[in-house]
Amino acid sequence: MESYETVDTAVLVLGAGGAGLRAAIAAAESGARVTVVCKSLLGKAHTVMAEGGMAAALGNVAGQDSWEAHFADTMKGGKLLNDWRMAEIHAREAPERVLELERWGAVFDRTHEGLIHQRPFGAHTYPRLAHIGDRTGLELIRTLQDRLVHQAGIEVHMEVTVASLFAQDGRIAGALAYRRADGGLVLYRARAVLLATGGAGRVYRVTSNSWECTGDGTALAYRAGAELRDCEMVQFHPTGMVWPAGVRGILVTEGVRGEGGLLRNKDGERFMERYDPDRMELSSRDIVARAINSEVLAGRGSPHGGAYLDISHRKPDYIKRKLPSMYEQFLKLAKVDITKDPMEVAPTIHYYMGGVRVDPETGASSVAGLFAAGEVTGGLHGANRLGGNSLTDLLVFGKRAGEAAAEYSREHSRPARISKAEVGEAVESLVGPLGRPHGENPYRLQAELQDVCSRHAPIIRSESGLLEGLQQVLELRERARSAGTGGPTGRAFNPGWHTAQDLGQMLVNAEALFRSALKRKESRGAHARSDYPNPDPALANVNFVVREVEGAMSVRALVREQLPDALLAVINRSFEKYTPEEKE
Amino acid sequence: MASVSPLQLSVFRGDAEGGEMVTYSVPVREGMVVLDAVLWAQANLAPDLAVRWNCKAAKCGSCAAEVNGFPRLLCKSPVADYGEEISVRPMAAFPVVRDLVTDVSWNYEVNQRIAPFTPSEADRDDPRAWRMQQVDVERAIEFRKCIECFLCQDVCHVLRNHGRKDAYFGPRFMVRMASLEMHPKDSLDRRPQLKGEAGVGYCNITKCCQEVCPEHIHITDNAIIPLKERMADEYFDPVRSLLRRLGGR
């Protein structure tokens, strides 16, 4: 049999984006020995791409902001499909986590009073997003990274990809992984495992997501027996670049609209008037994305099939200070000077609201010892995520899950056993593609999968499209079993082999997406269907839960626990309207 | 659309032992960047062609390499800016792992040797202490734009030509130290380290690092020169040196 190295640790954290880093710090501070395994180099995770800011009711710009207002916005934005307890915890704890980040060295833009500045964002009642220009994610990750590398008790294994998890009698036991550099295999034996692996945006062709967003954690958890929820809820960000073709999908921050950017169609109309006259450009993402889509379908789109986003009425200096990377991105990649001309934008796949079903307090999944935090989980965002809520999600639930995983590892001082046979099986499946130089090309399979999801689970879905999509995903799954590396079978840094691995994880995510989307016979939040264009009141308190049952994927409807009256009252409260003072 | 003749893309294929340039013929799409061309070759002609990339939006700094001899982010280099021939090589200042992938772990070791952000005891628990004006944070903000692509390290002749990784932390970590030195709330004196193991004196201000920075950080002008001044003021100013001696320090 193949040889592998064995590493023993108390808490194994998979992923080094905001959630993974915050969780690792929390677990180590609680006294656990932590190993962080990340697919890329440290500091490169998808979190760096977050632009607009992190939402927290600090009340620095609008003094009347409160956790209640933030909670109500989050729930309404998620069409009440959210786990209400997660939304409550998030709204209450976000301010503390942001201030803590500042104490750790993060630098935010300031208000005139010298406090952390907060910008307005879609569907947030008050200006709420703490930010630094349009590179808030980078600030978050660098601050956590620099704290983490000086924290005792944490080891980081970079460019290591986990291929499977092991569980024994319903309790997590460890993971099998490979190092990209030399292809060596590593068996991690851990008392607790924490998934912080992000979303699966790369199952689509046009996406703002990084190379590594292949839904690894969701698939690993599913195979280990954990439950997933809300897998039909995939967010289209309204504004991605559309032109030139080579850059299609790259994110244009919602901060542009937050700073006053206007959306127009080819006739120069501010078309949001038709879709959400109250909130206009700052409506929630699901609504703005569908509005652009409708304008294009009605023949009022821009030349490359999108809409115009214009910020040029702001002063050039202001634009360059508040949106520096947008300025640079358009100038360099599209040869457009956004201080003078409008940007052309269209929806792009951005975020997975669904994911591992977790306990709101601790991030515990339904497998003992397996925790999760961040985009890999489902619940906080319900049917539609508000901009800015994901960065505070990472901090709030990263910390909680890290502490809970440390505690679990303390209570279970002996790791669960991993059977030799199981390891053998996992190893065999992992190295399988290396033995199939003439197997199907993994890049081709991946591209076909992306086409299937893009075509059959688009912004507006239908029964026939979803059925066709599911069928094709299942066929691809069969073909993927015999995928090779595309030819060369070297171990050292062989991306053909890596792609074959990623493909397996992506297929689980795609199957869960289609199966869940078929069950939700209504339109709600990010999930819109042409055959069921309205919300169905009977599904208002139903979440769809995915689980492996006897080797097959099953989806069941779960009726949600009623919201406590006190919180229901908060949602129904009418919050004072905020009128901004104009100053630059 | 008028057909464009395919791009002749030469890529270094090999490892630490050596290698060769291999040319791939790649169809050109409007707006294509060099990373697109490399990934097209990978998906269609050379499945094991090793390249690091993550965001493809110039935000993560993973795809640093040398395009026609110049240190660049592959995702931020439009093919149209070059002719019909493009050559791509790995960064020369670091050992090759495979093809375009280099071993940049030394940078992570250096980072670990820089003491973390440390506010004073008094400030730590006093919320009032954290009121800062925009002008106070502005200087640090420039340095915090760094995406750690290590192109500045690649082009720095102290590291690249003289191989003095033992003596100088390199421009990236001058930027890191400047971001801490100029953070209004950091309380540590970083000058001894700058003079010592960080080796700020090794930089002789050729500004090559500044020229290749994809984030347009004025590495030499705003980070290294002020750090050199702070260090020199402390250690090489004759008046201060005299005062120090008189004061018995």
Side-chain angles (χ1 to χ4, degrees), chain A residues 204-206 232-240 242 248 271-272 275 284-298 305-307 345-351 353 383-384 450-463 465-466 513-514 517 520 522-534:
Chain A
Y204 282 82
R205 181 159 289 261
V206 175
E232 70 278 22
M233 297 299 177
V234 184
Q235 179 166 74
F236 282 84
H237 193 292
T239 60
V242 251
R248 195 172 181 115
F271 56 84
M272 284 309 297
Y275 306 92
S284 60
R285 288 178 173 174
D286 51 339
I287 294 171
V288 182
R290 274 197 298 274
I292 296 175
N293 191 57
S294 305
E295 289 298 303
V296 173
L297 291 177
V345 295
T348 180
I349 281 290
H350 187 55
Y351 191 87
M353 271 77 70
N384 169 63
Q450 290 168 339
D451 283 339
V452 169
C453 292
S454 305
R455 197 171 311 134
H456 298 297
I459 200 159
I460 311 282
R461 303 160 174 178
S462 71
E463 184 90 9
L466 291 169
L513 160 62
F514 280 105
R520 191 169 283 285
E522 64 161 352
S523 291
R524 187 180 298 273
H527 175 75
R529 290 188 50 162
S530 55
D531 43 356
Y532 300 94
N534 299 309

Side-chain angles (χ1 to χ4, degrees), chain A residues 15-318:
Chain A
L21 296 177
R22 189 63 191 83
I25 291 169
E29 275 177 351
S30 313
R33 227 158 26 86
V34 180
T35 305
V36 178
V37 168
C38 53
K39 223 168 147 174
S40 294
L41 294 172
L42 191 56
K44 308 295 183 198
H46 188 55
T47 306
V48 294
M49 294 178 73
E51 293 167 350
M54 43 186 109
L58 293 162
N60 290 350
V61 172
Q64 61 271 61
D65 200 4
S66 59
W67 78 261
E68 287 97 334
H70 190 182
F71 167 77
D73 286 344
T74 301
M75 291 297 293
K76 286 186 241 174
K79 318 300 163 198
L80 307 192
L81 222 58
N82 324 50
D83 180 310
W84 55 263
R85 179 60 184 149
M86 279 179 101
E88 183 191 3
I89 291 172
H90 172 253
R92 282 179 187 272
E93 294 180 5
E96 212 176 308
R97 294 284 79 76
V98 172
L99 293 174
E100 169 185 81
L101 207 63
E102 183 174 57
R103 304 289 195 275
W104 292 355
V107 178
F108 294 100
D109 282 345
R110 318 304 299 181
T111 64
H112 290 288
E113 294 75 36
L115 301 170
I116 294 174
H117 196 25
Q118 298 185 273
R119 69 162 44 118
F121 234 59
H124 286 283
T125 304
Y126 302 114
R128 194 175 277 149
L129 269 68
H131 63 277
I132 169 171
D134 55 5
R135 45 184 104 237
T136 315
L138 176 65
E139 189 65 20
L140 182 150
I141 213 161
R142 204 63 87 226
T143 304
L144 292 178
Q145 178 186 344
D146 285 325
R147 182 152 182 108
L148 176 132
V149 298
H150 293 288
Q151 176 120 22
I154 303 181
E155 220 175 277
V156 181
H157 295 181
M158 298 197 289
E159 298 197 310
V160 173
T161 305
V162 169
S164 45
L165 295 180
F166 302 107
Q168 195 76 46
D169 304 324
R171 186 187 151 196
I172 204 73
L176 179 72
Y178 65 90
R179 283 189 298 266
R180 286 167 86 193
D182 62 1
L185 307 185
V186 189
L187 176 68
Y188 291 95
R189 287 195 298 211
R191 288 179 258 155
V193 175
L194 195 154
L195 301 170
T197 48
R202 291 210 74 85
V203 303
Y204 282 82
R205 181 159 289 261
V206 175
T207 173
S208 66
N209 282 196
S210 274
W211 158 81
E212 37 183 10
C213 300
T214 49
D216 294 10
T218 325
L220 291 169
Y222 167 78
R223 291 209 192 91
E227 288 181 332
L228 314 178
R229 60 175 281 177
D230 303 335
C231 293
E232 70 278 22
M233 297 299 177
V234 184
Q235 179 166 74
F236 282 84
H237 193 292
T239 60
M241 290 179 82
V242 251
W243 183 89
V247 299
R248 195 172 181 115
I250 295 181
L251 185 65
V252 179
T253 175
E254 189 167 325
V256 176
R257 283 173 284 139
E259 298 296 345
L262 304 176
L263 283 168
R264 291 200 178 88
N265 62 20
K266 81 168 176 20
D267 305 324
E269 282 176 289
R270 276 181 75 189
F271 56 84
M272 284 309 297
E273 189 86 50
R274 270 196 284 280
Y275 306 92
D276 190 346
D278 280 343
R279 298 186 296 184
M280 297 293 286
E281 280 83 1
L282 289 181
S283 178
S284 60
R285 288 178 173 174
D286 51 339
I287 294 171
V288 182
R290 274 197 298 274
I292 296 175
N293 191 57
S294 305
E295 289 298 303
V296 173
L297 291 177
R300 296 188 291 268
S302 63
H304 302 94
Y308 292 111
L309 175 60
D310 194 358
I311 186 79
S312 63
H313 51 283
R314 287 286 207 175
K315 292 191 185 115
D317 283 352
Y318 183 84

